[in-house]
Amino acid sequence: MPTEDYRTVADAVAADIAAGRLRPGDRLAPQRAFARRHGIANSTAVRVYAELARRGLVVGEVGRGTFVRATAPAAGPALAEPARQRVDLELNYPVAEGQSELLAAGLAPLLRPDVLGAALRPLTADGTPAAREAVAALLSGPAWRPDPRRLLFAGNGRQAIAAAVAALVPPGGRLGVEPLTYPAIASVAARLGVSLVPVPCDEEGVRPDALAALHAAAPLHALYLQPTLHNPLGVTMSGDRRAELAATLGRLGLHAVEDAVWAFLRPDAPPPLAAYAPGHVILTDSLSKRLAPGLTAGFALVPGALTAPVAAALRSAGGLATGFALEAATRWIGDGTLDTVMRAKRHDAAARARLAAERLAGFAVSADPHAYFCWWRLPGRWRADTFVAAAARHGIAVTPAAAFAAGKGGAPHAVRIGLASPSPQVLGRALDTLAVIAKGAPEDNSAE
C-alpha cells in the first residue's frame, strides 16, 4: 500500500470508533499485529497510529499500548451571535486538570482479579470498615472527627438525602427548608409525600428564632439546610449561628438533614452543624463534586438511634453504594489522590470566582470567593424568565431563581450562574455576553 494511503486505513479505524465498534478504553492491536491484519507495512501502521493520535481519537501509553480515548469536548461557541451550541452555566461539574490520570493510577490495584472480585460483591448500608475509616478521615477537621461507626453509604448524595428525609418525615409531614434551596429536595419531598415549609433566613442562613416560631405554630418533622456554601446563595453560617441553631434543635427535639456537598471548597469554615448537635443532625455528603458525577458514592453520618430507619430507607429505595465505587473511593482517600484533586478544585473554583467578579463587575452579584457558582440579582428591567430566554438565544444556559424557590410566593428576579462546567476561556466569553445582555433592554433581545 502506498504510504500516502495510511490515511485511508486511519479513516476506517476512525469510522469504527464513530460507530461504536471501538469504544473508549478499547486497546488497539500492537502495531506489528495491526500491520499484518491489514496487509500493510510496519512503517505504514506507525503512521496510521500517529494519524489517529493527531485526530485525538487514541492515546498511547508507554508500556501498555494504544487505546481509544474518550471523545474530545466540542469547541465552545464564539458567543458574539446567537449560537446553537450550548454553554452550560446551569449544571456544575467541576473537573480538575489531570484528575483522570490521577484517578486511573489509583484504580490500578483494583484490576487484580482477587481485588476486583471482592469489590464487585454487594454491600450493606454500613459499607466496609476501611470505607468508614477513610470517609471519617475525609470529613474530619481540626476541631472535629466523626465516629466511623455512625456512617452509612448510598449510591450518591441525593439518595443519602432522600433516605434521611424518609427516616425523619412521615408521608404528609412537614419539612422545613431555606426559602431558596437545592432543587432536588423538592422532587424528593414530592416522591415521599412531604410538604416543604420555608423557614425565614438572614445573611447567615436559617434564623433559629424563626424556626422555633414556625415549629410552635405548626410542628415540623425535620429541617433540611446547607450551612456551608449554600446553593444558590453561597452563604456560609458562622460558628456562633451553628451553635445557636444546634441548641434550638435540641430544645425543640427536632432533627436536621445537613447537606455538605460543597463544603469541601471551604476547609476554613466552622465544623459542620453535626459537630454541634450530633444527636440531632444527619450529615449528608458525596463524592460527585469532589471527584466526578459518573463515579459516585454518597454517605450519611447518622445519630445512633436513626441508623436502622435510614439504612432501611436506603435498602428499600435501592440506594446502597456499589462495592466498586466505595472501594475505589477508599483507595483514592487513602493514597492522597482525593486530597490532591480537592486542592486543585479549590484553586480552580477561586480562579473562576475571580473571573466572574471581573466580568460581572457593577452588577448585583453575590458570591463566595471559593464557590463554583454565583447569585445574580438582575437589573430592574429584567425578569428572570426573560433573561434566561435571552441568554438561551445566545447559546448560554443559566438557572432562574424559581428553580430554587421552596414556597409558593414569587421568586426574586435573579439567576444562578454555574461556573464549573465550561473551560475558563468559554466561561469568560459567556460571562461577557451575559453582561452585554443585562446592560441592554429585554426588547433588544427578543426573538425575531
mmCIF file of all heavy atoms in Angstrom, residues 128-181:
data_model
loop_
_atom_site.group_PDB
_atom_site.id
_atom_site.type_symbol
_atom_site.label_atom_id
_atom_site.label_comp_id
_atom_site.label_asym_id
_atom_site.label_seq_id
_atom_site.Cartn_x
_atom_site.Cartn_y
_atom_site.Cartn_z
ATOM 1 N N THR A 128 -17.942 -0.860 54.332
ATOM 2 C CA THR A 128 -16.846 -1.691 54.821
ATOM 3 C C THR A 128 -16.119 -0.941 55.937
ATOM 4 O O THR A 128 -16.157 0.289 56.006
ATOM 5 C CB THR A 128 -15.839 -1.998 53.693
ATOM 6 O OG1 THR A 128 -15.201 -0.773 53.297
ATOM 7 C CG2 THR A 128 -16.534 -2.621 52.491
ATOM 8 N N PRO A 129 -15.425 -1.657 56.814
ATOM 9 C CA PRO A 129 -14.653 -0.966 57.856
ATOM 10 C C PRO A 129 -13.641 0.026 57.280
ATOM 11 O O PRO A 129 -13.484 1.130 57.806
ATOM 12 C CB PRO A 129 -13.963 -2.117 58.603
ATOM 13 C CG PRO A 129 -14.863 -3.294 58.393
ATOM 14 C CD PRO A 129 -15.404 -3.129 56.995
ATOM 15 N N ALA A 130 -12.977 -0.366 56.191
ATOM 16 C CA ALA A 130 -11.994 0.538 55.588
ATOM 17 C C ALA A 130 -12.660 1.797 55.043
ATOM 18 O O ALA A 130 -12.118 2.904 55.185
ATOM 19 C CB ALA A 130 -11.251 -0.187 54.469
ATOM 20 N N ALA A 131 -13.830 1.639 54.436
ATOM 21 C CA ALA A 131 -14.540 2.807 53.905
ATOM 22 C C ALA A 131 -14.990 3.726 55.031
ATOM 23 O O ALA A 131 -14.902 4.960 54.911
ATOM 24 C CB ALA A 131 -15.737 2.362 53.074
ATOM 25 N N ARG A 132 -15.460 3.164 56.127
ATOM 26 C CA ARG A 132 -15.909 4.002 57.245
ATOM 27 C C ARG A 132 -14.750 4.811 57.809
ATOM 28 O O ARG A 132 -14.891 6.003 58.106
ATOM 29 C CB ARG A 132 -16.561 3.146 58.327
ATOM 30 C CG ARG A 132 -17.893 2.528 57.903
ATOM 31 C CD ARG A 132 -18.663 1.993 59.091
ATOM 32 N NE ARG A 132 -17.985 0.880 59.737
ATOM 33 C CZ ARG A 132 -18.085 -0.389 59.363
ATOM 34 N NH1 ARG A 132 -18.839 -0.704 58.315
ATOM 35 N NH2 ARG A 132 -17.450 -1.343 60.020
ATOM 36 N N GLU A 133 -13.596 4.189 57.957
ATOM 37 C CA GLU A 133 -12.432 4.907 58.484
ATOM 38 C C GLU A 133 -11.965 5.976 57.497
ATOM 39 O O GLU A 133 -11.623 7.097 57.897
ATOM 40 C CB GLU A 133 -11.285 3.926 58.772
ATOM 41 C CG GLU A 133 -11.534 2.992 59.941
ATOM 42 C CD GLU A 133 -11.564 3.736 61.278
ATOM 43 O OE1 GLU A 133 -10.986 4.836 61.358
ATOM 44 O OE2 GLU A 133 -12.160 3.209 62.231
ATOM 45 N N ALA A 134 -11.963 5.644 56.210
ATOM 46 C CA ALA A 134 -11.488 6.598 55.205
ATOM 47 C C ALA A 134 -12.394 7.815 55.124
ATOM 48 O O ALA A 134 -11.926 8.961 55.079
ATOM 49 C CB ALA A 134 -11.391 5.916 53.846
ATOM 50 N N VAL A 135 -13.713 7.590 55.107
ATOM 51 C CA VAL A 135 -14.639 8.720 54.992
ATOM 52 C C VAL A 135 -14.651 9.540 56.277
ATOM 53 O O VAL A 135 -14.774 10.776 56.239
ATOM 54 C CB VAL A 135 -16.047 8.226 54.609
ATOM 55 C CG1 VAL A 135 -17.068 9.350 54.698
ATOM 56 C CG2 VAL A 135 -16.021 7.654 53.196
ATOM 57 N N ALA A 136 -14.514 8.898 57.416
ATOM 58 C CA ALA A 136 -14.410 9.655 58.669
ATOM 59 C C ALA A 136 -13.203 10.585 58.624
ATOM 60 O O ALA A 136 -13.273 11.751 59.047
ATOM 61 C CB ALA A 136 -14.314 8.705 59.860
ATOM 62 N N ALA A 137 -12.093 10.094 58.085
ATOM 63 C CA ALA A 137 -10.904 10.941 57.949
ATOM 64 C C ALA A 137 -11.154 12.067 56.959
ATOM 65 O O ALA A 137 -10.712 13.202 57.167
ATOM 66 C CB ALA A 137 -9.715 10.094 57.510
ATOM 67 N N LEU A 138 -11.874 11.763 55.870
ATOM 68 C CA LEU A 138 -12.174 12.777 54.860
ATOM 69 C C LEU A 138 -13.019 13.907 55.445
ATOM 70 O O LEU A 138 -12.801 15.086 55.127
ATOM 71 C CB LEU A 138 -12.921 12.121 53.696
ATOM 72 C CG LEU A 138 -13.378 13.026 52.563
ATOM 73 C CD1 LEU A 138 -12.188 13.590 51.812
ATOM 74 C CD2 LEU A 138 -14.300 12.261 51.604
ATOM 75 N N LEU A 139 -13.980 13.579 56.287
ATOM 76 C CA LEU A 139 -14.880 14.578 56.854
ATOM 77 C C LEU A 139 -14.280 15.329 58.036
ATOM 78 O O LEU A 139 -14.816 16.359 58.446
ATOM 79 C CB LEU A 139 -16.188 13.897 57.296
ATOM 80 C CG LEU A 139 -17.052 13.287 56.197
ATOM 81 C CD1 LEU A 139 -18.250 12.577 56.812
ATOM 82 C CD2 LEU A 139 -17.502 14.343 55.206
ATOM 83 N N SER A 140 -13.195 14.831 58.573
ATOM 84 C CA SER A 140 -12.624 15.400 59.784
ATOM 85 C C SER A 140 -12.014 16.775 59.529
ATOM 86 O O SER A 140 -11.574 17.093 58.427
ATOM 87 C CB SER A 140 -11.539 14.475 60.346
ATOM 88 O OG SER A 140 -12.093 13.251 60.765
ATOM 89 N N GLY A 141 -12.014 17.583 60.566
ATOM 90 C CA GLY A 141 -11.353 18.874 60.545
ATOM 91 C C GLY A 141 -10.528 19.056 61.794
ATOM 92 O O GLY A 141 -10.479 18.163 62.657
ATOM 93 N N PRO A 142 -9.872 20.209 61.944
ATOM 94 C CA PRO A 142 -9.018 20.432 63.114
ATOM 95 C C PRO A 142 -9.752 20.287 64.440
ATOM 96 O O PRO A 142 -9.150 19.875 65.435
ATOM 97 C CB PRO A 142 -8.525 21.874 62.909
ATOM 98 C CG PRO A 142 -8.656 22.123 61.441
ATOM 99 C CD PRO A 142 -9.853 21.344 61.003
ATOM 100 N N ALA A 143 -11.056 20.618 64.449
ATOM 101 C CA ALA A 143 -11.789 20.622 65.721
ATOM 102 C C ALA A 143 -12.831 19.512 65.812
ATOM 103 O O ALA A 143 -13.618 19.496 66.768
ATOM 104 C CB ALA A 143 -12.474 21.978 65.916
ATOM 105 N N TRP A 144 -12.835 18.587 64.846
ATOM 106 C CA TRP A 144 -13.918 17.598 64.860
ATOM 107 C C TRP A 144 -13.539 16.383 64.045
ATOM 108 O O TRP A 144 -12.952 16.500 62.954
ATOM 109 C CB TRP A 144 -15.186 18.219 64.272
ATOM 110 C CG TRP A 144 -16.367 17.302 64.193
ATOM 111 C CD1 TRP A 144 -17.104 16.824 65.232
ATOM 112 C CD2 TRP A 144 -16.947 16.760 63.008
ATOM 113 N NE1 TRP A 144 -18.118 16.023 64.768
ATOM 114 C CE2 TRP A 144 -18.052 15.969 63.400
ATOM 115 C CE3 TRP A 144 -16.659 16.885 61.651
ATOM 116 C CZ2 TRP A 144 -18.854 15.285 62.487
ATOM 117 C CZ3 TRP A 144 -17.456 16.210 60.730
ATOM 118 C CH2 TRP A 144 -18.533 15.422 61.153
ATOM 119 N N ARG A 145 -13.840 15.197 64.555
ATOM 120 C CA ARG A 145 -13.698 13.953 63.803
ATOM 121 C C ARG A 145 -14.938 13.111 64.073
ATOM 122 O O ARG A 145 -15.266 12.813 65.229
ATOM 123 C CB ARG A 145 -12.448 13.179 64.221
ATOM 124 C CG ARG A 145 -12.333 11.820 63.507
ATOM 125 C CD ARG A 145 -11.101 11.047 63.929
ATOM 126 N NE ARG A 145 -11.139 9.674 63.428
ATOM 127 C CZ ARG A 145 -10.772 9.307 62.197
ATOM 128 N NH1 ARG A 145 -10.332 10.223 61.349
ATOM 129 N NH2 ARG A 145 -10.852 8.040 61.824
ATOM 130 N N PRO A 146 -15.657 12.727 63.028
ATOM 131 C CA PRO A 146 -16.869 11.923 63.240
ATOM 132 C C PRO A 146 -16.545 10.496 63.655
ATOM 133 O O PRO A 146 -15.447 9.993 63.392
ATOM 134 C CB PRO A 146 -17.544 11.951 61.869
ATOM 135 C CG PRO A 146 -16.426 12.140 60.898
ATOM 136 C CD PRO A 146 -15.422 13.016 61.610
ATOM 137 N N ASP A 147 -17.505 9.871 64.272
ATOM 138 C CA ASP A 147 -17.381 8.475 64.682
ATOM 139 C C ASP A 147 -17.624 7.591 63.457
ATOM 140 O O ASP A 147 -18.722 7.612 62.880
ATOM 141 C CB ASP A 147 -18.419 8.173 65.771
ATOM 142 C CG ASP A 147 -18.308 6.753 66.301
ATOM 143 O OD1 ASP A 147 -17.583 5.929 65.701
ATOM 144 O OD2 ASP A 147 -18.982 6.459 67.309
ATOM 145 N N PRO A 148 -16.633 6.823 63.003
ATOM 146 C CA PRO A 148 -16.825 5.987 61.803
ATOM 147 C C PRO A 148 -17.994 5.020 61.931
ATOM 148 O O PRO A 148 -18.603 4.645 60.914
ATOM 149 C CB PRO A 148 -15.493 5.238 61.676
ATOM 150 C CG PRO A 148 -14.507 6.054 62.455
ATOM 151 C CD PRO A 148 -15.291 6.685 63.567
ATOM 152 N N ARG A 149 -18.331 4.613 63.132
ATOM 153 C CA ARG A 149 -19.403 3.638 63.319
ATOM 154 C C ARG A 149 -20.768 4.215 62.965
ATOM 155 O O ARG A 149 -21.730 3.468 62.788
ATOM 156 C CB ARG A 149 -19.411 3.141 64.761
ATOM 157 C CG ARG A 149 -18.150 2.381 65.164
ATOM 158 C CD ARG A 149 -18.111 2.133 66.649
ATOM 159 N NE ARG A 149 -18.083 3.392 67.396
ATOM 160 C CZ ARG A 149 -18.076 3.469 68.725
ATOM 161 N NH1 ARG A 149 -18.111 2.361 69.452
ATOM 162 N NH2 ARG A 149 -18.048 4.645 69.323
ATOM 163 N N ARG A 150 -20.861 5.541 62.849
ATOM 164 C CA ARG A 150 -22.147 6.174 62.551
ATOM 165 C C ARG A 150 -22.347 6.438 61.062
ATOM 166 O O ARG A 150 -23.331 7.053 60.671
ATOM 167 C CB ARG A 150 -22.250 7.494 63.323
ATOM 168 C CG ARG A 150 -22.338 7.331 64.831
ATOM 169 C CD ARG A 150 -22.263 8.672 65.534
ATOM 170 N NE ARG A 150 -23.176 9.640 64.936
ATOM 171 C CZ ARG A 150 -22.971 10.953 64.923
ATOM 172 N NH1 ARG A 150 -21.870 11.452 65.467
ATOM 173 N NH2 ARG A 150 -23.854 11.753 64.371
ATOM 174 N N LEU A 151 -21.434 5.968 60.222
ATOM 175 C CA LEU A 151 -21.521 6.243 58.788
ATOM 176 C C LEU A 151 -22.309 5.168 58.048
ATOM 177 O O LEU A 151 -22.134 3.964 58.279
ATOM 178 C CB LEU A 151 -20.117 6.340 58.183
ATOM 179 C CG LEU A 151 -19.405 7.669 58.433
ATOM 180 C CD1 LEU A 151 -17.912 7.538 58.145
ATOM 181 C CD2 LEU A 151 -20.009 8.760 57.538
ATOM 182 N N LEU A 152 -23.185 5.631 57.157
ATOM 183 C CA LEU A 152 -23.888 4.764 56.213
ATOM 184 C C LEU A 152 -23.571 5.251 54.803
ATOM 185 O O LEU A 152 -23.243 6.418 54.595
ATOM 186 C CB LEU A 152 -25.391 4.803 56.459
ATOM 187 C CG LEU A 152 -25.878 4.315 57.827
ATOM 188 C CD1 LEU A 152 -27.393 4.502 57.940
ATOM 189 C CD2 LEU A 152 -25.501 2.852 58.060
ATOM 190 N N PHE A 153 -23.726 4.359 53.813
ATOM 191 C CA PHE A 153 -23.305 4.680 52.452
ATOM 192 C C PHE A 153 -24.452 4.515 51.458
ATOM 193 O O PHE A 153 -25.250 3.578 51.557
ATOM 194 C CB PHE A 153 -22.125 3.792 52.043
ATOM 195 C CG PHE A 153 -20.907 4.059 52.869
ATOM 196 C CD1 PHE A 153 -20.672 3.345 54.033
ATOM 197 C CD2 PHE A 153 -20.010 5.048 52.507
ATOM 198 C CE1 PHE A 153 -19.562 3.607 54.817
ATOM 199 C CE2 PHE A 153 -18.896 5.317 53.279
ATOM 200 C CZ PHE A 153 -18.675 4.596 54.434
ATOM 201 N N ALA A 154 -24.488 5.442 50.512
ATOM 202 C CA ALA A 154 -25.518 5.454 49.463
ATOM 203 C C ALA A 154 -24.844 5.520 48.103
ATOM 204 O O ALA A 154 -23.637 5.770 47.998
ATOM 205 C CB ALA A 154 -26.452 6.651 49.658
ATOM 206 N N GLY A 155 -25.647 5.330 47.060
ATOM 207 C CA GLY A 155 -25.100 5.401 45.717
ATOM 208 C C GLY A 155 -24.647 6.800 45.351
ATOM 209 O O GLY A 155 -23.703 6.977 44.590
ATOM 210 N N ASN A 156 -25.330 7.815 45.889
ATOM 211 C CA ASN A 156 -24.929 9.203 45.652
ATOM 212 C C ASN A 156 -25.507 10.075 46.769
ATOM 213 O O ASN A 156 -26.235 9.589 47.645
ATOM 214 C CB ASN A 156 -25.387 9.690 44.266
ATOM 215 C CG ASN A 156 -26.878 9.526 44.039
ATOM 216 O OD1 ASN A 156 -27.695 9.890 44.892
ATOM 217 N ND2 ASN A 156 -27.256 8.976 42.900
ATOM 218 N N GLY A 157 -25.187 11.360 46.721
ATOM 219 C CA GLY A 157 -25.634 12.260 47.775
ATOM 220 C C GLY A 157 -27.132 12.430 47.824
ATOM 221 O O GLY A 157 -27.725 12.533 48.911
ATOM 222 N N ARG A 158 -27.768 12.465 46.658
ATOM 223 C CA ARG A 158 -29.220 12.648 46.637
ATOM 224 C C ARG A 158 -29.924 11.471 47.306
ATOM 225 O O ARG A 158 -30.921 11.647 48.019
ATOM 226 C CB ARG A 158 -29.706 12.816 45.194
ATOM 227 C CG ARG A 158 -31.180 13.157 45.100
ATOM 228 C CD ARG A 158 -31.637 13.336 43.665
ATOM 229 N NE ARG A 158 -30.926 14.412 42.993
ATOM 230 C CZ ARG A 158 -31.268 14.883 41.796
ATOM 231 N NH1 ARG A 158 -32.301 14.377 41.153
ATOM 232 N NH2 ARG A 158 -30.577 15.860 41.244
ATOM 233 N N GLN A 159 -29.417 10.260 47.092
ATOM 234 C CA GLN A 159 -30.016 9.092 47.744
ATOM 235 C C GLN A 159 -29.816 9.150 49.256
ATOM 236 O O GLN A 159 -30.697 8.744 50.021
ATOM 237 C CB GLN A 159 -29.405 7.811 47.165
ATOM 238 C CG GLN A 159 -29.823 7.561 45.725
ATOM 239 C CD GLN A 159 -29.052 6.420 45.087
ATOM 240 O OE1 GLN A 159 -27.934 6.098 45.495
ATOM 241 N NE2 GLN A 159 -29.632 5.810 44.074
ATOM 242 N N ALA A 160 -28.681 9.670 49.691
ATOM 243 C CA ALA A 160 -28.456 9.824 51.126
ATOM 244 C C ALA A 160 -29.445 10.825 51.723
ATOM 245 O O ALA A 160 -30.011 10.598 52.803
ATOM 246 C CB ALA A 160 -27.022 10.268 51.379
ATOM 247 N N ILE A 161 -29.657 11.943 51.021
ATOM 248 C CA ILE A 161 -30.623 12.942 51.492
ATOM 249 C C ILE A 161 -32.026 12.347 51.538
ATOM 250 O O ILE A 161 -32.764 12.514 52.516
ATOM 251 C CB ILE A 161 -30.590 14.177 50.573
ATOM 252 C CG1 ILE A 161 -29.261 14.920 50.725
ATOM 253 C CG2 ILE A 161 -31.762 15.117 50.887
ATOM 254 C CD1 ILE A 161 -29.035 15.989 49.672
ATOM 255 N N ALA A 162 -32.417 11.650 50.473
ATOM 256 C CA ALA A 162 -33.762 11.073 50.416
ATOM 257 C C ALA A 162 -33.978 10.070 51.541
ATOM 258 O O ALA A 162 -35.056 10.034 52.159
ATOM 259 C CB ALA A 162 -33.981 10.412 49.061
ATOM 260 N N ALA A 163 -32.971 9.259 51.824
ATOM 261 C CA ALA A 163 -33.113 8.276 52.907
ATOM 262 C C ALA A 163 -33.240 8.971 54.256
ATOM 263 O O ALA A 163 -34.026 8.553 55.116
ATOM 264 C CB ALA A 163 -31.919 7.328 52.910
ATOM 265 N N ALA A 164 -32.474 10.049 54.450
ATOM 266 C CA ALA A 164 -32.566 10.787 55.712
ATOM 267 C C ALA A 164 -33.945 11.409 55.889
ATOM 268 O O ALA A 164 -34.547 11.332 56.971
ATOM 269 C CB ALA A 164 -31.483 11.865 55.754
ATOM 270 N N VAL A 165 -34.470 12.014 54.819
ATOM 271 C CA VAL A 165 -35.802 12.621 54.897
ATOM 272 C C VAL A 165 -36.864 11.551 55.142
ATOM 273 O O VAL A 165 -37.775 11.723 55.958
ATOM 274 C CB VAL A 165 -36.107 13.422 53.615
ATOM 275 C CG1 VAL A 165 -37.554 13.912 53.620
ATOM 276 C CG2 VAL A 165 -35.150 14.609 53.491
ATOM 277 N N ALA A 166 -36.744 10.428 54.436
ATOM 278 C CA ALA A 166 -37.726 9.348 54.606
ATOM 279 C C ALA A 166 -37.727 8.820 56.029
ATOM 280 O O ALA A 166 -38.776 8.440 56.562
ATOM 281 C CB ALA A 166 -37.422 8.217 53.626
ATOM 282 N N ALA A 167 -36.551 8.781 56.658
ATOM 283 C CA ALA A 167 -36.477 8.270 58.027
ATOM 284 C C ALA A 167 -37.039 9.256 59.048
ATOM 285 O O ALA A 167 -37.493 8.848 60.123
ATOM 286 C CB ALA A 167 -35.022 7.949 58.374
ATOM 287 N N LEU A 168 -37.024 10.540 58.714
ATOM 288 C CA LEU A 168 -37.420 11.568 59.679
ATOM 289 C C LEU A 168 -38.841 12.089 59.500
ATOM 290 O O LEU A 168 -39.473 12.516 60.467
ATOM 291 C CB LEU A 168 -36.458 12.760 59.586
ATOM 292 C CG LEU A 168 -35.013 12.519 60.013
ATOM 293 C CD1 LEU A 168 -34.165 13.743 59.689
ATOM 294 C CD2 LEU A 168 -34.932 12.189 61.500
ATOM 295 N N VAL A 169 -39.336 12.090 58.261
ATOM 296 C CA VAL A 169 -40.605 12.755 57.955
ATOM 297 C C VAL A 169 -41.599 11.746 57.395
ATOM 298 O O VAL A 169 -41.355 11.157 56.345
ATOM 299 C CB VAL A 169 -40.404 13.904 56.946
ATOM 300 C CG1 VAL A 169 -41.695 14.696 56.782
ATOM 301 C CG2 VAL A 169 -39.269 14.824 57.381
ATOM 302 N N PRO A 170 -42.737 11.532 58.025
ATOM 303 C CA PRO A 170 -43.733 10.590 57.507
ATOM 304 C C PRO A 170 -44.468 11.189 56.320
ATOM 305 O O PRO A 170 -44.452 12.413 56.108
ATOM 306 C CB PRO A 170 -44.675 10.398 58.696
ATOM 307 C CG PRO A 170 -44.603 11.697 59.423
ATOM 308 C CD PRO A 170 -43.181 12.165 59.297
ATOM 309 N N PRO A 171 -45.108 10.368 55.491
ATOM 310 C CA PRO A 171 -45.943 10.913 54.410
ATOM 311 C C PRO A 171 -46.974 11.891 54.978
ATOM 312 O O PRO A 171 -47.607 11.624 56.003
ATOM 313 C CB PRO A 171 -46.621 9.664 53.830
ATOM 314 C CG PRO A 171 -45.670 8.543 54.141
ATOM 315 C CD PRO A 171 -45.077 8.893 55.479
ATOM 316 N N GLY A 172 -47.088 13.047 54.329
ATOM 317 C CA GLY A 172 -47.969 14.088 54.826
ATOM 318 C C GLY A 172 -47.312 15.010 55.837
ATOM 319 O O GLY A 172 -47.927 15.979 56.285
ATOM 320 N N GLY A 173 -46.055 14.711 56.192
ATOM 321 C CA GLY A 173 -45.350 15.513 57.181
ATOM 322 C C GLY A 173 -44.767 16.787 56.595
ATOM 323 O O GLY A 173 -44.853 17.057 55.389
ATOM 324 N N ARG A 174 -44.143 17.581 57.472
ATOM 325 C CA ARG A 174 -43.648 18.911 57.106
ATOM 326 C C ARG A 174 -42.135 18.972 57.296
ATOM 327 O O ARG A 174 -41.623 18.672 58.376
ATOM 328 C CB ARG A 174 -44.325 19.977 57.981
ATOM 329 C CG ARG A 174 -45.792 20.180 57.666
ATOM 330 C CD ARG A 174 -46.565 20.822 58.825
ATOM 331 N NE ARG A 174 -45.907 21.982 59.413
ATOM 332 C CZ ARG A 174 -46.040 23.244 58.976
ATOM 333 N NH1 ARG A 174 -46.804 23.502 57.917
ATOM 334 N NH2 ARG A 174 -45.425 24.241 59.601
ATOM 335 N N LEU A 175 -41.449 19.383 56.224
ATOM 336 C CA LEU A 175 -40.003 19.508 56.241
ATOM 337 C C LEU A 175 -39.631 20.980 56.083
ATOM 338 O O LEU A 175 -39.942 21.606 55.067
ATOM 339 C CB LEU A 175 -39.375 18.689 55.105
ATOM 340 C CG LEU A 175 -37.853 18.799 54.944
ATOM 341 C CD1 LEU A 175 -37.136 18.193 56.148
ATOM 342 C CD2 LEU A 175 -37.397 18.106 53.654
ATOM 343 N N GLY A 176 -38.988 21.562 57.092
ATOM 344 C CA GLY A 176 -38.524 22.933 56.986
ATOM 345 C C GLY A 176 -37.330 23.030 56.041
ATOM 346 O O GLY A 176 -36.448 22.167 56.060
ATOM 347 N N VAL A 177 -37.302 24.067 55.219
ATOM 348 C CA VAL A 177 -36.205 24.286 54.274
ATOM 349 C C VAL A 177 -35.925 25.785 54.186
ATOM 350 O O VAL A 177 -36.773 26.611 54.542
ATOM 351 C CB VAL A 177 -36.525 23.746 52.856
ATOM 352 C CG1 VAL A 177 -36.664 22.238 52.849
ATOM 353 C CG2 VAL A 177 -37.781 24.406 52.303
ATOM 354 N N GLU A 178 -34.762 26.141 53.680
ATOM 355 C CA GLU A 178 -34.492 27.539 53.364
ATOM 356 C C GLU A 178 -35.402 27.967 52.218
ATOM 357 O O GLU A 178 -35.744 27.145 51.349
ATOM 358 C CB GLU A 178 -33.023 27.700 52.973
ATOM 359 C CG GLU A 178 -32.046 27.412 54.100
ATOM 360 C CD GLU A 178 -30.948 26.432 53.729
ATOM 361 O OE1 GLU A 178 -31.185 25.567 52.852
ATOM 362 O OE2 GLU A 178 -29.868 26.498 54.325
ATOM 363 N N PRO A 179 -35.838 29.223 52.168
ATOM 364 C CA PRO A 179 -36.751 29.655 51.100
ATOM 365 C C PRO A 179 -36.197 29.430 49.696
ATOM 366 O O PRO A 179 -36.948 29.143 48.769
ATOM 367 C CB PRO A 179 -36.945 31.148 51.394
ATOM 368 C CG PRO A 179 -36.703 31.279 52.865
ATOM 369 C CD PRO A 179 -35.623 30.289 53.174
ATOM 370 N N LEU A 180 -34.897 29.595 49.524
ATOM 371 C CA LEU A 180 -34.212 29.211 48.289
ATOM 372 C C LEU A 180 -33.328 28.027 48.637
ATOM 373 O O LEU A 180 -32.469 28.105 49.517
ATOM 374 C CB LEU A 180 -33.375 30.366 47.747
ATOM 375 C CG LEU A 180 -34.159 31.591 47.286
ATOM 376 C CD1 LEU A 180 -33.222 32.764 47.035
ATOM 377 C CD2 LEU A 180 -34.958 31.278 46.012
ATOM 378 N N THR A 181 -33.532 26.908 47.952
ATOM 379 C CA THR A 181 -32.885 25.675 48.385
ATOM 380 C C THR A 181 -32.511 24.823 47.187
ATOM 381 O O THR A 181 -32.893 25.100 46.037
ATOM 382 C CB THR A 181 -33.809 24.904 49.340
ATOM 383 O OG1 THR A 181 -33.100 23.796 49.909
ATOM 384 C CG2 THR A 181 -35.049 24.393 48.628
#
